[in-house]
Amino acid sequence: MAEQRNDTVFGMILRGEIPADIVYEDELAVAFRDIAPQAPVHVLVIPRRRVRSLAHAAADDQALVGHLLSVCAAVAEQEGVAESGYRVVTNIGENGGQSVDHLHFHVLGGRRLSWPPG
Ligand code: AMP
């Protein structure tokens, strides 16, 4: 079955239609700097294959989701915030504040982050 076209901004980045500051990539995942950084380090980790959100991840996406989290940790290490600490966040749906319909994990670090989030 033909895969549905990914018309999100992240689909455009994956196809090379718009630029992104890519900091890591492998066969399953791509990580790039957020265009509106909320912390000195703000990287988005996304799967190449479109999954709309964590809520849309199917049972056979478990390995992919685990891989994405491993990539988050590797990116934090690469960006030099692993020791000082950082946060990994995924927003889901309207109340979660999700604005791009393609699963992504935010890796935020380089400053002390407040809790709870707003
Ligand atoms: P969320 O609001 O959790 O769905 O996160 C989407 C994130 O994508 C936001 O933090 C945006 O700043 C970011 N974003 C939107 N467009 C781009 C882009 N072209 N390149 C990099 N990050 C982007």
Side-chain angles (χ1 to χ4, degrees):
M1 197 168 71
E3 220 172 85
Q4 221 185 340
R5 188 177 161 82
N6 182 350
D7 283 326
T8 70
V9 69
F10 295 168
M12 295 169 79
I13 288 172
L14 289 168
R15 290 191 298 271
E17 292 167 5
I18 59 170
D21 186 357
I22 292 173
V23 299
Y24 172 90
E25 58 185 321
D26 63 28
E27 67 282 3
L28 296 175
V30 178
F32 51 89
R33 295 192 196 285
D34 197 293
I35 203 167
Q38 302 301 309
V41 172
H42 189 173
V43 172
L44 301 172
V45 176
I46 72 169
R48 288 190 188 276
R49 181 165 60 76
R50 188 185 187 186
V51 176
R52 284 169 189 267
S53 78
L54 191 63
H56 293 81
D60 63 0
D61 291 324
Q62 274 185 15
L64 175 63
V65 172
H67 178 71
L68 294 170
L69 289 171
S70 295
V71 170
C72 289
V75 163
E77 188 80 46
Q78 186 180 302
E79 294 290 316
V81 296
E83 210 166 302
S84 54
Y86 60 96
R87 188 170 294 164
V88 175
V89 178
T90 189
N91 297 322
I92 301 156
E94 196 178 336
N95 278 1
Q98 183 177 5
S99 63
V100 180
D101 209 12
H102 181 129
L103 175 62
H104 49 284
F105 291 95
H106 297 255
V107 179
L108 297 144
R111 68 169 171 84
R112 186 170 284 270
L113 300 165
S114 59
W115 189 265

